[in-house]
Amino acid sequence: MAPVVTSVSPAQGPPAGGTSVTLTGSGFTGATAVRFGPSLATDVVVLSNTQITARTPPGSGTEKVTVTGPSGTSTQNVFFTYTTVAAPVLTALSPASGPTTGGNTVTITGTNLTAATQVLFGPNPATILTNTPTQITATAPTGTGTTNVTVTTPAGTSNPLPYTYTTTPTPTITNLNPTTGPTTGGNTVTITGTNLTAATQVLFGPNPATILTNTPTQITVTAPTGTGTTNVTVTTPAGTSNPLPYTYTTTPTPTITNLNPTTGPTTGGNTVTITGTNLTAATQVLFGPNPATILTNTPTQITVTAPTGTGTTNVTVTTPAGTSNPLPYTYTTTPTPTITNLNPTTGPTTGGNTVTITGTNLTAATSVKFGINSATILTNSATQITVSAPAGPPSSVSVTVTTAGGTSNPLPYFYIAAPTVSDLSPHFGPATGSNTVTVFGSNLSLTTAVHFGGNPATAVTVVSDSQLTVTAPAGSGTVAVTVTTPGGTSTPGTGSPYYTYLGAPVLTSLNPSHGSSVGGDAIVLTGANLTYTDAVTFGGAPASFSAISDTQVVATSPAGAPGTVNVVAHTPAGNSNALPYVYDPA
């Protein structure tokens, strides 16, 4: 039977050709050519008996799409339209003005803006940031005065829209907060004023500060070191601001009043909170002779990561003003962790799934290993850890937990290879579902679910590691069939995992509706959903036939006894309604 083409997607493209299209239909196996009118398509790939991909040849107007195979050429009226790309049109700029230094983002709105090759502000090209058919964002170049903005695409250059370059006024500062700080610097100062955009420098006397944030009315900086009272100024491309006074003050010696906790493991690594006064800009925290890692630091509180140690030792804090009084801290021995359960005990080779580990002495876990690979710790308590499993090859690995007390006993975890779906039998069925479909692939033994598109199949039966049987759910159109196991969900990238839902066949007329009892008459069956007709019977007797289109089948009547019989067409979606056919005496 000749190939049947039911659709082409997309159904339009440029006259230059080169559009990637997908043809859907049947009888594509062994196809030798795809034509758009008289012109041959290129890059033709037969994906399956029901799908072909190709690139359009150059053309114009509307052309019929045909497929030629060993049994002939398709005849269905499936068309592709060549469209001409229109020149770009601009309707708005936002904003319509900006600084002479450029660098600001401008949004250009219009139509036919796809594949813009250039945006000009007068003679100067802008940097294109994003590009859709109706909007472009660009970084404005430098310029002066009012100039025209245009957009160029392969279809031509747009109409111009005016854009005005504005002069930036000199910055003014009105407030500092705070107005004092330590001679060591390092504190954050907020500067309020106007025209502060794009600040290039903030000076505390002769010393530059580090700029942290910058808006038109506010700048935050890290103050540099200094002494006495000095002037703060802000410089932008428009000039340098007025000065405001800032005073460096001497910091008193730190005092510590509390540690929380006052004990910890000999391996260190736990967080300790130190409370006191005058703790700003701490440079060192010592546990005996060993330095701790400072995590946070305010005038009244410091958090640190304790270093390793033994016994009871003194904790001290050092700032630029000196070293504090000591407070005692005791190192304790931590018991070895024990793990008793994993949930789940299996997972995909790609990792990323959450595994819950139950046991004892799990506090402050430093590492969870799946074989030689580290997991990401999500939560951690004394009796439970949740982790994100790392990737691993299909195999069994040992899971262990390490804390300051050592490494736990191992528990087995199994990496399961992801399932694949390579084929289905059949590939078609009724929209109402409930028919049996056989799924072929690999790694199917542990199947937990089968989906037809987004709908779950029922009666899933594992025949072997490479075969399942399921009952198809109701659905419509062509969908991918996927299988889910502890190893993940299959992807439709390989094989032929596609299933097409068909409407039940319907017969509306026979022409002619009677014929000789010796048979051999050509009878045209008219109706709907007839493309995939696989049998035609006259009173139960099979007839030879050819499906001409979705609405027409031509059958050759078999011999029959004079009288009236029922004519029925059958597709993978079931039997059609019956229409009467009269056998006339020969």
Side-chain angles (χ1 to χ4, degrees), residues 12-17 36-39 56-64 79-84:
Q12 63 180 24
F36 285 66
S39 302
T56 60
S60 61
T62 297
E63 297 286 7
K64 186 173 181 178
F79 298 99
F80 181 88
T81 301
Y82 288 96
T83 58
T84 302

Side-chain angles (χ1 to χ4, degrees), residues 84-197:
T84 302
V85 180
V89 176
L90 305 188
T91 56
L93 302 179
S94 179
S97 63
T100 56
T101 54
N104 57 303
T105 299
V106 178
T107 300
I108 305 166
T109 306
T111 56
N112 309 319
L113 304 182
T114 301
T117 56
Q118 188 176 58
V119 175
L120 292 179
F121 281 56
N124 300 320
T127 300
I128 298 173
L129 303 176
T130 66
N131 186 188
T132 72
T134 59
Q135 191 176 87
I136 295 173
T137 59
T139 301
T142 58
T144 58
T146 297
T147 190
N148 283 326
V149 175
T150 58
V151 171
T152 300
T153 71
T157 298
S158 73
N159 57 295
L161 288 181
Y163 179 87
T164 302
Y165 285 98
T166 57
T167 302
T168 306
T170 304
T172 300
I173 58 176
T174 55
N175 187 61
L176 303 180
N177 184 24
T179 58
T180 63
T183 56
T184 54
N187 56 305
T188 299
V189 178
T190 300
I191 305 168
T192 305
T194 56
N195 307 318
L196 305 182
T197 302

Side-chain angles (χ1 to χ4, degrees), residues 473-539:
S476 62
T478 297
V479 297
V481 176
T482 58
V483 172
T484 299
T485 73
T489 299
S490 64
T491 58
T494 59
S496 182
Y498 295 97
Y499 182 85
T500 299
Y501 286 100
L502 303 177
V506 176
L507 295 182
T508 57
S509 68
L510 303 178
N511 186 22
S513 60
H514 61 90
S516 171
S517 61
V518 298
D521 293 315
I523 311 299
V524 178
L525 288 66
T526 301
N529 303 323
L530 302 179
T531 296
Y532 298 100
T533 299
D534 52 25
V536 175
T537 57
F538 282 62

Side-chain angles (χ1 to χ4, degrees), residues 190-487:
T190 300
I191 305 168
T192 305
T194 56
N195 307 318
L196 305 182
T197 302
T200 56
Q201 189 177 59
V202 175
L203 291 179
F204 282 54
N207 301 321
T210 301
I211 298 173
L212 303 176
T213 66
N214 186 186
T215 72
T217 59
Q218 192 176 86
I219 298 174
T220 58
V221 298
T222 300
T225 58
T227 58
T229 298
T230 190
N231 283 326
V232 174
T233 57
V234 173
T235 299
T236 71
T240 298
S241 73
N242 58 293
L244 287 181
Y246 179 86
T247 302
Y248 285 98
T249 58
T250 303
T251 307
T253 303
T255 300
I256 59 176
T257 56
N258 186 62
L259 303 180
N260 184 25
T262 58
T263 63
T266 56
T267 53
N270 56 304
T271 299
V272 177
T273 300
I274 305 168
T275 306
T277 57
N278 307 318
L279 304 181
T280 301
T283 56
Q284 189 177 58
V285 175
L286 291 178
F287 282 54
N290 301 321
T293 302
I294 298 173
L295 303 175
T296 67
N297 186 187
T298 72
T300 59
Q301 191 176 86
I302 297 174
T303 58
V304 299
T305 301
T308 59
T310 58
T312 298
T313 191
N314 283 325
V315 175
T316 58
V317 173
T318 300
T319 72
T323 299
S324 73
N325 57 295
L327 287 180
Y329 179 87
T330 301
Y331 285 98
T332 58
T333 302
T334 305
T336 303
T338 300
I339 58 176
T340 55
N341 187 63
L342 303 180
N343 184 24
T345 57
T346 61
T349 57
T350 55
N353 55 304
T354 299
V355 178
T356 301
I357 305 168
T358 306
T360 56
N361 305 319
L362 304 182
T363 301
T366 56
S367 172
V368 175
K369 295 279 191 180
F370 281 56
I372 61 172
N373 299 319
S374 296
T376 301
I377 298 174
L378 304 176
T379 66
N380 187 188
S381 70
T383 58
Q384 190 176 86
I385 298 173
T386 59
V387 299
S388 178
S395 63
S396 172
V397 297
S398 292
V399 175
T400 58
V401 173
T402 299
T403 70
T407 299
S408 72
N409 58 294
L411 287 180
Y413 179 87
F414 298 89
Y415 282 103
I416 308 298
T420 66
V421 176
S422 59
D423 204 1
L424 308 173
S425 180
H427 282 276
F428 304 93
T432 55
S434 298
N435 55 304
T436 298
V437 177
T438 301
V439 181
F440 300 95
S442 61
N443 306 318
L444 305 180
S445 293
L446 301 178
T447 296
T448 56
V450 177
H451 284 82
F452 282 56
N455 299 322
T458 57
V460 178
T461 301
V462 176
V463 178
S464 68
D465 194 53
S466 60
Q467 187 174 331
L468 309 171
T469 61
V470 301
T471 298
S476 62
T478 297
V479 297
V481 176
T482 58
V483 172
T484 299
T485 73

